[in-house]
Amino acid sequence: MNAIPLHAANPGPFTGEGNWTYLIDGAVPVLIDAGVGNVPHLDAIDAATGSRPLHLVVTHAHSDHISGAPAIVERRPATRLSKMPWTERDRDLPWQPLRDGDVIPTAQGDLQVIHTPGHAPDHVCLWHATSRTVFVGDMLVQGTTVMIPASHRGSLLEYLQSLDRLLALNARRALPAHGPPIDDPAALIRHYIEHRAARESQITAALQDGARTIEELLARIYPALQPALAPMARESLLAHLIKLETEGRAERIEGGWASTNRRRR
Ligand SMILES: [Zn+2]
């Protein structure tokens, strides 16, 4: 798979160095993710594809992946638009809805749509079986973990199930929206699964010791946290608590959370 990385030119506090989008050239070039509509990105798309009709495929409706779509359509009104629906977040554009298992044709062979909810409910990965390459959007980022925005339709349980699905592909290479290409996706996925399991053990132990609130968990599990990172850590803790609640291992009580194990003892 020869995918041309096109940077979205959007570095910032939430995107790090900014987003990578990927162009698969051909008679109808396929662009994976829209960026944010910054002019250098739009110019790079034009330079790479000329006047050929474009097929834009968006991995999920977080703004650094979708908000450039209107600007792309403004420059190139014939652009075909595809994504899995998330109606509250999808911009007012004529998206063709993607479903799990759909196939997107490219000049280098088909991409298979794999629904991978968890980071976002509409998140999809795109699998190129011929080269064992997977476009992973925000499912994987080399060198860090992935935010599960529990207050905004993120789900740790679904994310872990999606990681299992990605692991089963046995991909040779993963191309993420943030950071460099990932040459050993299985190693990173296993690291993620172990990391979440270790965090979950810390949280269940803290609950059994009587920690009740997210602030108590935060102080115990992230003792040296920089204040700027606290909101993300709170979301991560909430994501774990909701997973434990779904599994019947934690419950909401007056003023916080409790382990169901502890109560039964
Ligand atoms: Zn995202």
Side-chain angles (χ1 to χ4, degrees):
M1 165 55 66
N2 178 27
I4 303 164
L6 297 179
H7 198 265
N10 62 329
F14 296 107
T15 60
E17 292 174 0
N19 287 54
W20 289 107
T21 70
Y22 295 95
L23 185 77
I24 303 165
D25 211 352
V28 180
V30 173
L31 178 67
I32 299 172
D33 275 348
V36 300
N38 285 344
V39 169
H41 186 225
L42 297 170
D43 288 347
I45 296 166
D46 286 349
T49 62
S51 58
R52 282 169 287 153
L54 193 67
H55 184 184
L56 172 65
V57 181
V58 168
T59 59
H60 64 298
H62 286 162
S63 65
D64 53 328
H65 302 258
I66 196 175
S67 66
I72 291 171
V73 171
E74 196 180 315
R75 281 199 185 194
R76 314 167 69 110
T79 299
R80 180 178 165 195
L81 302 162
S82 297
K83 77 176 292 296
M84 181 164 280
W86 181 5
T87 41
E88 307 94 89
R89 291 286 191 106
D90 292 340
R91 310 282 157 142
D92 187 19
L93 290 171
W95 298 103
Q96 296 176 26
L98 289 180
R99 270 170 297 201
D100 186 62
D102 280 355
V103 162
I104 295 165
T106 83
Q108 297 178 51
D110 289 343
L111 296 175
Q112 186 192 334
V113 174
I114 300 178
H115 185 209
T116 48
H119 170 72
D122 59 336
H123 195 288
V124 297
C125 293
L126 300 164
W127 170 232
H128 186 246
T130 319
S131 64
R132 310 201 72 73
T133 299
V134 61
F135 296 87
V136 290
D138 281 356
M139 278 295 294
L140 307 176
V141 186
Q142 190 76 60
T144 184
T145 56
V146 168
M147 168 81 169
I148 305 300
S151 304
H152 302 280
R153 302 276 315 272
S155 161
L156 181 57
L157 196 59
E158 289 181 346
Y159 179 68
L160 290 167
Q161 290 165 350
S162 294
L163 286 180
D164 282 342
R165 244 190 126 184
L166 275 189
L167 190 61
L169 293 175
N170 194 22
R172 187 178 296 155
R173 192 165 61 131
L175 297 176
H178 300 275
I182 297 157
D183 290 325
D184 189 352
L188 183 60
I189 293 167
R190 288 200 188 92
H191 166 73
Y192 278 178
I193 293 169
E194 285 164 15
H195 168 80
R196 299 287 177 175
R199 181 72 78 228
E200 182 173 288
S201 298
Q202 288 179 304
I203 292 168
T204 50
L207 290 175
Q208 284 168 11
D209 285 353
R212 283 287 167 271
T213 64
I214 294 212
E215 294 311 309
E216 286 167 5
L217 291 169
L218 192 71
R220 176 162 163 155
I221 293 166
Y222 299 90
L225 190 70
Q226 296 168 31
L229 299 178
M232 284 171 72
R234 286 191 193 97
E235 280 291 285
S236 178
L237 289 168
L238 180 61
H240 276 282
L241 289 165
I242 292 170
K243 173 179 180 287
L244 291 169
E245 181 186 35
T246 307
E247 295 170 338
R249 297 160 63 201
E251 61 187 354
R252 290 170 209 254
I253 57 166
E254 176 95 36
W257 295 79
S259 165
T260 50
N261 284 339
R262 188 174 182 272
R263 215 166 61 97
R264 283 200 200 103
R265 259 182 219 151

